[in-house]
Amino acid sequence: MDSLFTVNNVWMMICTALVFFMHLGFSFLEIGLTRQKNTINILFKNIFIITAGLLLYTIVGFNLMYPGSFIYGVLPDYFIDLFGLSLPENGLTAEYADGNYTYWTDFLFQGMFAATAATIVSGAVAERIKLGAFMIFTIVYVGFVYPIVGSWKWGTGWLDQLGFYDFAGSTLVHSVGGWAALVAVYLLGARIGKFKKDGSIGVIPGHNIPLATAGVLILWLGWFGFNGGSVLSADPGATSLVLVTTCIAAASGGLSAFLVSLFKYKQYDLSMFLNGILGGLVGITAGADVMSVTDSIVIGIIAGALIVLAVSLIDRIKLDDPVGAIAVHLICGIWGTLAVGIFGDLASWSQFGYQLVGVVSVGAFCLLTSFAIIYTLKKTVGIRVSKQEEQEGLDIHEHGMDAYPDFRLNQH
Amino acid sequence: MDSLFTVNNVWMMICTALVFFMHLGFSFLEIGLTRQKNTINILFKNIFIITAGLLLYTIVGFNLMYPGSFIYGVLPDYFIDLFGLSLPENGLTAEYADGNYTYWTDFLFQGMFAATAATIVSGAVAERIKLGAFMIFTIVYVGFVYPIVGSWKWGTGWLDQLGFYDFAGSTLVHSVGGWAALVAVYLLGARIGKFKKDGSIGVIPGHNIPLATAGVLILWLGWFGFNGGSVLSADPGATSLVLVTTCIAAASGGLSAFLVSLFKYKQYDLSMFLNGILGGLVGITAGADVMSVTDSIVIGIIAGALIVLAVSLIDRIKLDDPVGAIAVHLICGIWGTLAVGIFGDLASWSQFGYQLVGVVSVGAFCLLTSFAIIYTLKKTVGIRVSKQEEQEGLDIHEHGMDAYPDFRLNQH
Amino acid sequence: MDSLFTVNNVWMMICTALVFFMHLGFSFLEIGLTRQKNTINILFKNIFIITAGLLLYTIVGFNLMYPGSFIYGVLPDYFIDLFGLSLPENGLTAEYADGNYTYWTDFLFQGMFAATAATIVSGAVAERIKLGAFMIFTIVYVGFVYPIVGSWKWGTGWLDQLGFYDFAGSTLVHSVGGWAALVAVYLLGARIGKFKKDGSIGVIPGHNIPLATAGVLILWLGWFGFNGGSVLSADPGATSLVLVTTCIAAASGGLSAFLVSLFKYKQYDLSMFLNGILGGLVGITAGADVMSVTDSIVIGIIAGALIVLAVSLIDRIKLDDPVGAIAVHLICGIWGTLAVGIFGDLASWSQFGYQLVGVVSVGAFCLLTSFAIIYTLKKTVGIRVSKQEEQEGLDIHEHGMDAYPDFRLNQH
């Protein structure tokens, strides 16, 4: 057995495990930043996403995203392989991908990515969306929209041929989730109590900040695999550079958001610190392999500042995003994608143009498709729980159980 | 240094770390699904298992399970090496195990497995067992019963020679724990309030569902190492297939349990979803390296359905298993073992027969030994805490501390 | 690409990720063992340490610790590279470090270590230190003191030339943190209610023992990377031995502390069990690569006993260390360093002498510098929050938020 092939594959499997682990990070972050009465519901959604997302990617997504491209007209071939993966000849040998990984590793790494887009939406719509509607949305979005957009670049589709660059998915994963979050939040409306009649903005504090903090640290750990694995081999120079730029952007993003929010609000705001870290991570993701240390610091600082401004702006335009998913994944996803045209090895006006085309085209497609899906759901099965259910909590209504039955709780 | 030897050993060390991390998964799952008043006690048991289990495996288990076999009469040789491991000549070279790992890695990976059997029992007996009795049971079961059974197959003993197949331990780890859990639950009796005088079954809800959910995700992550490491090398094709079948069975098991319980109880039951994932994981464990994607889906679906039915059945026959350990580890362990004779590369009537022999012989041995141990404990030191202690909580009685002293609690 | 270089680098990157993850372990441990009213504050400190620590190490520490040595007079050269890392020629090739890792991996692994020293202090000063003062201390200690001391040994400075041995940092990381914790605790004074007027010692229980337990298991996992990565290559024999000695010392330390505290206090004390595990881990860290299995057991047993005695002694001399950081990191750090002269491959009277010189010189330097920093802070900005803030909690005063707003709380 070729030892370089073996080590490449080991690295990719470890990165797969780390990306899988991000689902615990998202789960902790989302429940931590929302109220205890909706905890079971959020966990149920997240567990649904990882299980259904993986099976959908098995049955539909992987074939749709990579071998051919839905858009480019190999529909008949595609349906032949619809049910179940089919191991190509040499899929387990060094010939499959230049000795970088096997077919199975390829599938599983990509499958773990796929579920992430829906998870991003999950946080934004928390505490008021109907579970059934969300599950249908997840199936369509993870099963079809994500792989189609992914095929444009990573399936060597038209964006790739144009020159668009998105190393690990600032646009292809994070913005894809972020755009749908934006649409969903708009169509759902705000939680009761968020925007008051007198125009003031209510604060609905998260119920478990230790778990939210743990979520961010777990996500940061997961990003070692998310970005590190996107090298698609264990190449020592490339992978280690990517880990450095990733960690430095995370640190810079966090410190920047902490300092900007301290300056703006005169408060040591842990939530902003945490979301700043995530903003830095999303921001570096598009160009983690082409940035210097200094570039990473600057990208992180700007991402952190954008988080503080975006959270405030989203509040002011009366969109209710309980966990800050739009600021983190959409705004910093756009920023990171554009930053590839401004900083690092690829920086040029033409590259900036390609990046802009990517941002706009993916944005348009995601806005349209997510609007079509969610609006249809709204007009058919309905997307929002009843007022009573929202006030009493989704846990007891949809799941018949409490997250913390032994503790005395404040209802609000 | 041989680079293939090095990468094999790196993979095995990472898998060792992941199997170690499963102990956090078990801890979170067990405390999450039980009441807060017994939290310290459960954590204490789990910490005892991992520390004492590892030391016992150092002093007794590893020598007992592998070099010779207790049953086959090398008792004198064995006692020579009783205290402490002894590094064999070439134990750190590629000659030790065909370049797949070193002697130290071998020991540590197997040592992490050993403690798992007792952990499975820990969940089933929670909230009412005496700590001292449980610790004695752990010492005997991890120190002797587990390695003896393990030697039958993994120590190339009689089951191995017969043709029995158990890739990563559906029987040798999970059922070994599951049978003892069954015996212990039977001898201990149900928790106060579980089975009421009018014949109805009381619901004793778990106190921290976020941690229980985290436990399942951590266990799933750990299974990357549990099954992935059981390849016993970093072979790219074998390891990546194993991760794929493992993850797909987990996802299928979860979705199956969710849908079956939705159909049966008209409820979105998060506990069933979670236990279904674990059932899928246990179910694929015996044949993770010989199954196709489709096989894995089917094995997971059946495992998930079995979980729902088994949990209900175990309740009906008045056995009180607070975390569903018997359903997950025993029932799905048996299912996964038999499935090797039905699906995948080894499927045949004769293989099914070998599997059945393995299930029955291991079952008989574990039932007998665990009954002997626990019954002896019951008649001597006693295995059940007093009624007062059970009602007031084991934490305050056995440990003199609360798990959450700053929170106001509902006692029940 | 050289495959041995690649696998070495993969191992080092994984170890880097594991050391990063220790910050979640420290966070959980520290908040778990303190009161809920100070949870946000502790998390904020920990998030500050990992982000600022990493950036400081980028800008200052790495250059200060390794290429030349501050103490040895290459100050001008050093300032040339002050801002940002500069990739040396061949920094990404096998020539950089004999094919063991790249320059970027080197930096990131060391950077993750750097923040640990300040984290150790964080626990000891919890619940009463001013956030601003702590942040200034962190900047100076992580940015300058830690790398200077590190350069003495790991930067091939005078302690290295003398013959002092400290494999992964019992002294260079843990004691460096521990000495500052001692000084800080002394200068800060005890928390209100810890030492009563009648001479009795108040018990201030931790508010979330499940998270504290998770913290210890995560730290143990992280130690796979902390010690395993300190081999500085993936050498199969050395790395696997290190993992074995590390895990066995952890298990022995835990069991020892459990049994000693059971004997001393007639209680199954989970906190002691957990701190015993950490004591064993710190104790083995100086010599994890030169100890046998038996040595590791003995080192762990002594470390565990030291934990119980030290916690009691620190209480008796009226020092208030809420999480036991001084016992774990300072006492067991000293013990582990001296143990290299007593047990294992290097044991000799002369080695014991070198170890003693290391302990004393590092101790003197850390005591002096941390006293200078913290005393200056005390006399200028102040280091202790007001009595009112301490009683009502730092979370609400410094951060304007609660960690668990949906739960009803006992104030104390």
Side-chain angles (χ1 to χ4, degrees):
Chain A
M1 187 62 63
D2 178 335
S3 58
L4 188 57
F5 173 39
T6 307
V7 62
N8 281 333
N9 191 63
V10 161
W11 173 246
M12 292 306 296
M13 292 193 297
I14 294 159
C15 290
T16 302
L18 289 172
V19 176
F20 165 74
F21 202 45
M22 291 174 81
H23 285 273
L24 178 59
F26 279 114
S27 299
F28 272 175
L29 181 68
E30 292 175 21
I31 63 169
L33 294 181
T34 53
R35 288 165 292 183
Q36 64 76 24
K37 66 184 177 186
N38 302 314
T39 300
I40 302 282
N41 186 252
I42 293 170
L43 292 171
F44 197 96
K45 283 191 297 180
N46 280 290
I47 295 292
F48 178 79
I49 289 167
I50 178 66
T51 52
L54 195 57
L55 270 196
L56 278 163
Y57 205 73
T58 306
I59 297 169
V60 184
F62 189 57
N63 284 325
L64 190 54
M65 192 158 166
Y66 285 95
S69 164
F70 195 68
I71 301 299
Y72 283 88
V74 290
L75 211 55
D77 277 358
Y78 160 66
F79 275 107
I80 292 167
D81 293 329
L82 184 64
F83 298 106
L85 300 174
S86 54
L87 183 68
E89 202 184 343
N90 289 325
L92 302 185
T93 70
E95 287 171 37
Y96 175 66
D98 295 332
N100 290 340
Y101 42 84
T102 68
Y103 175 77
W104 296 124
T105 304
D106 191 10
F107 155 71
L108 200 62
F109 182 70
Q110 301 300 340
M112 293 301 172
F113 261 64
T116 310
T119 303
I120 291 164
V121 183
S122 165
V125 300
E127 308 207 90
R128 60 209 192 277
I129 201 166
K130 273 191 183 170
L131 184 58
F134 181 79
M135 292 196 290
I136 296 169
F137 164 80
T138 297
I139 290 169
V140 181
Y141 212 68
V142 174
F144 298 93
V145 177
Y146 170 81
I148 289 170
V149 172
S151 75
W152 293 358
K153 164 67 190 159
W154 294 339
T156 63
W158 72 273
L159 272 177
D160 188 55
Q161 284 158 29
L162 177 73
F164 172 70
Y165 196 76
D166 189 2
F167 171 63
S170 287
T171 284
L172 295 178
V173 178
H174 294 281
S175 291
V176 165
W179 289 112
L182 181 67
V183 168
V185 161
Y186 173 74
L187 288 173
L188 262 178
R191 289 167 297 171
I192 297 166
K194 177 69 184 175
F195 300 113
K196 295 180 180 161
K197 286 188 180 156
D198 63 3
S200 69
I201 297 170
V203 173
I204 302 178
H207 88 280
N208 200 327
I209 307 302
L211 293 193
T213 307
V216 170
L217 289 175
I218 290 169
L219 284 167
W220 186 342
L221 176 72
W223 239 284
F224 279 70
F226 196 92
N227 284 0
S230 292
V231 172
L232 298 178
S233 82
D235 179 80
T239 49
S240 62
L241 170 64
V242 162
L243 296 195
V244 168
T245 57
T246 299
C247 288
I248 285 178
S252 307
L255 286 168
S256 164
F258 149 42
L259 292 170
V260 171
S261 67
L262 180 64
F263 185 78
K264 198 165 172 347
Y265 302 111
K266 316 294 173 216
Q267 194 100 284
Y268 292 106
D269 188 328
L270 180 60
S271 312
M272 285 296 179
F273 208 154
L274 295 174
N275 269 331
I277 288 172
L278 296 180
L281 288 166
V282 172
I284 198 67
T285 291
D289 61 333
V290 294
M291 298 298 166
S292 72
V293 167
T294 313
D295 294 333
S296 312
I297 294 175
V298 176
I299 287 172
I301 287 172
I302 294 173
L306 282 173
I307 289 289
V308 181
L309 302 176
V311 165
S312 162
L313 177 71
I314 289 161
D315 263 1
R316 278 207 304 275
I317 60 175
K318 308 256 185 240
L319 290 174
D320 179 15
D321 176 2
V323 304
I326 297 170
V328 167
H329 299 282
L330 179 56
I331 304 299
C332 291
I334 292 172
W335 159 239
T337 306
L338 296 179
V340 172
I342 307 171
F343 302 103
D345 299 349
L346 301 178
S348 72
W349 278 111
S350 57
Q351 186 65 43
F352 188 83
Y354 306 147
Q355 301 302 104
L356 205 57
V357 171
V359 166
V360 171
S361 60
V362 170
F365 185 76
C366 291
L367 279 173
L368 281 171
T369 51
S370 59
F371 189 88
I373 302 165
I374 301 168
Y375 190 77
T376 305
L377 288 169
K378 184 172 182 171
K379 292 297 169 188
T380 52
V381 296
I383 57 175
R384 182 144 183 166
V385 300
S386 72
K387 192 174 168 182
Q388 187 200 1
E389 183 170 342
E390 184 175 343
Q391 284 172 328
E392 293 173 5
L394 280 70
D395 289 2
I396 209 70
H397 277 263
E398 302 227 12
H399 307 278
M401 66 193 286
D402 279 319
Y404 309 95
D406 289 4
F407 296 87
R408 291 213 203 153
L409 303 165
N410 303 314
Q411 288 302 338
H412 60 93
Chain B
M1 187 62 64
D2 178 335
S3 57
L4 188 57
F5 173 39
T6 307
V7 62
N8 281 333
N9 190 62
V10 162
W11 172 247
M12 293 305 297
M13 292 193 297
I14 293 159
C15 290
T16 302
L18 289 172
V19 177
F20 165 75
F21 202 45
M22 292 174 80
H23 286 273
L24 179 59
F26 279 114
S27 300
F28 272 176
L29 181 68
E30 293 175 18
I31 63 170
L33 294 181
T34 53
R35 287 165 294 183
Q36 64 78 25
K37 65 184 175 185
N38 302 314
T39 300
I40 303 281
N41 186 253
I42 293 170
L43 293 171
F44 197 97
K45 282 191 298 182
N46 280 290
I47 295 292
F48 178 79
I49 289 166
I50 178 65
T51 52
L54 196 57
L55 270 198
L56 278 164
Y57 205 73
T58 306
I59 298 170
V60 184
F62 189 56
N63 284 326
L64 190 54
M65 192 160 168
Y66 286 96
S69 165
F70 195 69
I71 301 298
Y72 284 88
V74 290
L75 211 57
D77 276 358
Y78 161 65
F79 275 107
I80 292 167
D81 292 329
L82 184 65
F83 298 105
L85 299 174
S86 55
L87 184 66
E89 204 184 341
N90 288 326
L92 303 183
T93 70
E95 287 171 37
Y96 174 66
D98 295 332
N100 290 341
Y101 43 84
T102 68
Y103 174 78
W104 296 124
T105 304
D106 190 10
F107 156 69
L108 201 61
F109 182 71
Q110 301 300 340
M112 293 302 172
F113 260 63
T116 310
T119 304
I120 290 164
V121 183
S122 165
V125 300
E127 307 206 273
R128 60 209 191 279
I129 201 168
K130 272 192 184 171
L131 184 56
F134 181 79
M135 292 195 290
I136 296 168
F137 164 79
T138 297
I139 290 169
V140 181
Y141 212 68
V142 175
F144 297 92
V145 178
Y146 170 81
I148 289 171
V149 173
S151 75
W152 293 357
K153 163 68 189 158
W154 293 338
T156 63
W158 72 273
L159 272 177
D160 189 55
Q161 284 159 28
L162 177 74
F164 174 68
Y165 195 75
D166 189 3
F167 172 63
S170 287
T171 284
L172 295 178
V173 179
H174 294 281
S175 293
V176 165
W179 289 112
L182 181 67
V183 168
V185 161
Y186 173 74
L187 288 173
L188 261 178
R191 291 168 295 171
I192 298 166
K194 177 68 185 176
F195 301 112
K196 296 179 181 161
K197 286 189 180 155
D198 63 4
S200 69
I201 298 171
V203 174
I204 303 179
H207 88 282
N208 199 326
I209 307 303
L211 293 193
T213 307
V216 170
L217 290 174
I218 290 169
L219 284 168
W220 186 342
L221 176 72
W223 240 284
F224 279 71
F226 196 91
N227 284 0
S230 292
V231 172
L232 298 178
S233 83
D235 179 80
T239 49
S240 63
L241 170 64
V242 162
L243 296 195
V244 168
T245 57
T246 300
C247 288
I248 285 177
S252 307
L255 287 168
S256 164
F258 149 43
L259 291 170
V260 172
S261 67
L262 180 64
F263 184 78
K264 196 164 167 10
Y265 303 111
K266 316 295 172 214
Q267 194 101 281
Y268 291 106
D269 188 328
L270 180 60
S271 311
M272 285 297 179
F273 208 154
L274 297 174
N275 269 332
I277 288 172
L278 296 180
L281 288 166
V282 172
I284 198 68
T285 291
D289 61 333
V290 293
M291 297 297 165
S292 73
V293 167
T294 312
D295 294 334
S296 311
I297 293 174
V298 175
I299 288 172
I301 287 172
I302 294 173
L306 282 173
I307 289 291
V308 180
L309 302 176
V311 165
S312 163
L313 176 71
I314 290 162
D315 263 1
R316 277 208 303 275
I317 59 174
K318 308 261 187 233
L319 290 174
D320 179 16
D321 176 2
V323 304
I326 298 169
V328 167
H329 299 281
L330 178 56
I331 304 300
C332 291
I334 292 172
W335 159 238
T337 306
L338 296 179
V340 173
I342 308 172
F343 302 104
D345 300 348
L346 301 179
S348 72
W349 278 111
S350 56
Q351 187 66 43
F352 187 83
Y354 306 147
Q355 300 303 103
L356 204 57
V357 171
V359 165
V360 171
S361 61
V362 170
F365 186 75
C366 291
L367 279 172
L368 281 172
T369 50
S370 59
F371 189 87
I373 302 165
I374 302 168
Y375 190 77
T376 305
L377 289 168
K378 186 172 180 173
K379 293 297 169 188
T380 52
V381 296
I383 57 174
R384 181 142 184 168
V385 300
S386 72
K387 192 173 170 185
Q388 187 199 2
E389 183 170 342
E390 184 176 342
Q391 282 172 328
E392 293 173 6
L394 279 69
D395 289 3
I396 211 70
H397 277 263
E398 302 229 13
H399 306 280
M401 65 193 287
D402 279 319
Y404 309 96
D406 289 4
F407 296 86
R408 291 212 202 156
L409 303 165
N410 303 315
Q411 288 303 339
H412 60 93
Chain C
M1 188 62 65
D2 177 336
S3 57
L4 188 57
F5 173 38
T6 307
V7 62
N8 281 333
N9 191 63
V10 161
W11 173 247
M12 293 304 297
M13 292 193 297
I14 293 159
C15 290
T16 303
L18 289 172
V19 176
F20 165 75
F21 201 46
M22 291 174 81
H23 286 273
L24 179 58
F26 280 114
S27 299
F28 272 176
L29 180 67
E30 292 175 19
I31 63 170
L33 294 181
T34 53
R35 287 164 293 183
Q36 63 77 24
K37 66 185 176 185
N38 301 313
T39 300
I40 303 281
N41 186 253
I42 293 170
L43 293 170
F44 197 96
K45 282 192 297 181
N46 280 290
I47 296 291
F48 178 79
I49 288 167
I50 177 66
T51 53
L54 195 57
L55 270 196
L56 278 164
Y57 205 73
T58 306
I59 298 170
V60 184
F62 190 56
N63 285 325
L64 190 53
M65 192 158 165
Y66 286 95
S69 164
F70 195 67
I71 300 298
Y72 284 87
V74 290
L75 211 56
D77 277 358
Y78 160 66
F79 275 107
I80 292 166
D81 293 328
L82 185 64
F83 298 106
L85 299 175
S86 54
L87 184 67
E89 203 184 341
N90 288 325
L92 303 185
T93 70
E95 288 172 37
Y96 174 66
D98 295 331
N100 290 340
Y101 43 84
T102 69
Y103 175 76
W104 295 124
T105 305
D106 190 11
F107 155 71
L108 201 61
F109 182 71
Q110 301 300 341
M112 293 302 173
F113 261 63
T116 310
T119 303
I120 290 165
V121 184
S122 165
V125 300
E127 308 206 272
R128 59 210 192 278
I129 201 166
K130 273 191 182 171
L131 184 57
F134 181 78
M135 292 195 291
I136 296 169
F137 163 79
T138 297
I139 290 169
V140 181
Y141 211 69
V142 175
F144 297 92
V145 177
Y146 170 81
I148 289 170
V149 172
S151 75
W152 293 357
K153 163 69 188 156
W154 293 338
T156 63
W158 72 273
L159 273 177
D160 189 54
Q161 285 157 28
L162 177 73
F164 174 69
Y165 196 75
D166 189 3
F167 171 63
S170 287
T171 283
L172 295 177
V173 179
H174 293 281
S175 292
V176 165
W179 290 112
L182 181 67
V183 168
V185 161
Y186 173 74
L187 288 173
L188 262 178
R191 290 168 296 170
I192 297 166
K194 177 68 185 175
F195 301 111
K196 295 179 182 162
K197 285 187 182 157
D198 63 4
S200 68
I201 297 170
V203 174
I204 303 179
H207 88 282
N208 200 327
I209 307 303
L211 293 193
T213 307
V216 169
L217 289 175
I218 291 169
L219 285 167
W220 186 342
L221 176 72
W223 240 283
F224 279 70
F226 197 91
N227 284 0
S230 292
V231 171
L232 299 177
S233 83
D235 179 80
T239 49
S240 62
L241 170 64
V242 162
L243 296 195
V244 168
T245 56
T246 300
C247 288
I248 286 178
S252 307
L255 287 168
S256 163
F258 148 44
L259 292 171
V260 172
S261 67
L262 180 64
F263 184 78
K264 198 165 168 6
Y265 302 112
K266 317 294 172 214
Q267 193 102 284
Y268 292 106
D269 188 327
L270 180 60
S271 311
M272 283 298 179
F273 208 154
L274 296 173
N275 269 331
I277 289 171
L278 296 179
L281 289 165
V282 172
I284 197 68
T285 291
D289 61 333
V290 293
M291 297 298 166
S292 72
V293 167
T294 312
D295 293 334
S296 310
I297 292 175
V298 175
I299 289 172
I301 287 172
I302 294 174
L306 282 173
I307 288 290
V308 180
L309 302 176
V311 165
S312 162
L313 176 70
I314 290 162
D315 264 2
R316 278 208 302 275
I317 60 175
K318 307 260 186 234
L319 290 174
D320 180 15
D321 177 1
V323 305
I326 297 169
V328 168
H329 300 281
L330 179 55
I331 304 300
C332 291
I334 292 172
W335 159 238
T337 306
L338 297 179
V340 173
I342 307 172
F343 302 104
D345 300 347
L346 301 177
S348 72
W349 278 111
S350 56
Q351 188 65 42
F352 188 82
Y354 306 148
Q355 299 303 102
L356 203 58
V357 171
V359 166
V360 171
S361 61
V362 170
F365 186 76
C366 290
L367 279 173
L368 281 172
T369 51
S370 59
F371 190 88
I373 302 165
I374 301 168
Y375 190 77
T376 305
L377 288 169
K378 184 171 182 173
K379 292 298 169 187
T380 52
V381 296
I383 56 175
R384 181 142 185 168
V385 300
S386 72
K387 192 174 168 184
Q388 187 199 0
E389 184 170 341
E390 184 175 342
Q391 283 172 329
E392 293 173 6
L394 280 68
D395 289 2
I396 209 70
H397 277 263
E398 301 228 14
H399 307 278
M401 66 193 287
D402 278 319
Y404 309 96
D406 289 4
F407 296 86
R408 289 210 206 159
L409 304 165
N410 304 314
Q411 287 304 335
H412 60 93

